[in-house]
Amino acid sequence: MGIISELLLHLQEDTSKVKTVALGCSEHIHYSGIMEVKSYIDNHPFVSFRLTELSNRAGMSRSFFCTLFKEMVGVSPIVYSNMSKINHAKKLLRQTGKSATEISYDCGFETVTYFFRVFKKVEGLTPIQYRNRSQRRID
């Protein structure tokens, strides 16, 4: 009986952020819980999560969940949640005429300032610069 030795885990849209993970017995047992939380985050990019809520969903202690999530996905649950929100924001910036402020709240960010800071950290552009660049590519 073998254990899955390697898995490719994709972080949303960006395939350059693929992480290969060697799973041990303990990680293998908890793999489905981590993947269920990852999927839940992906499907709810507008929700502000608490680590306790996510770890309970996975059926793990908060500390163990954070360690295992980072080991399997490559980033912490909060960073992953922010990346999911930014991917959702990018789609809204491309497909709607909503303001960056509206989009920040639609994506579950509590303040516009934090949204801009996270967006720029992830994308290297402000949301407005991203929208302008995306529109130029369409034209």
Side-chain angles (χ1 to χ4, degrees), residues 77-95:
I78 298 303
V79 169
Y80 187 82
S81 176
N82 282 339
M83 291 171 69
S84 181
K85 290 175 187 215
I86 295 303
N87 284 330
H88 185 61
K90 286 168 36 181
K91 186 167 74 170
L92 293 175
L93 286 163
R94 287 189 310 265
Q95 297 175 355

Side-chain angles (χ1 to χ4, degrees), residues 17 53 61 75 105-106 113 121:
K17 294 179 182 158
E53 173 191 352
S61 73
V75 294
Y105 294 119
D106 287 351
T113 305
K121 184 176 183 179

Side-chain angles (χ1 to χ4, degrees), residues 31-43 57-59:
Y31 174 79
S32 62
I34 296 293
M35 291 301 103
E36 195 252 306
V37 169
K38 183 179 173 291
S39 177
Y40 184 73
I41 291 170
D42 290 339
N43 292 318
R57 183 173 281 279

Side-chain angles (χ1 to χ4, degrees), residues 86-137:
I86 295 303
N87 284 330
H88 185 61
K90 286 168 36 181
K91 186 167 74 170
L92 293 175
L93 286 163
R94 287 189 310 265
Q95 297 175 355
T96 73
K98 289 184 174 186
S99 71
T101 299
E102 289 175 293
I103 290 172
S104 72
Y105 294 119
D106 287 351
C107 293
F109 286 95
E110 294 181 17
T111 68
V112 177
T113 305
Y114 185 61
F115 168 63
F116 269 73
R117 188 170 56 233
V118 172
F119 195 100
K120 185 156 186 170
K121 184 176 183 179
V122 171
E123 290 300 314
L125 303 166
T126 67
I128 305 307
Q129 291 168 331
Y130 178 85
R131 175 179 271 158
N132 291 340
R133 184 176 282 178
S134 295
Q135 288 175 343
R136 275 187 260 136
R137 288 183 185 159

Side-chain angles (χ1 to χ4, degrees), residues 4-21:
I4 299 172
S5 63
E6 291 188 299
L7 297 172
L8 295 176
L9 302 175
H10 299 278
L11 299 175
Q12 242 3 50
E13 298 176 342
D14 190 352
T15 57
S16 69
K17 294 179 182 158
V18 173
K19 179 169 171 45
T20 303
V21 182

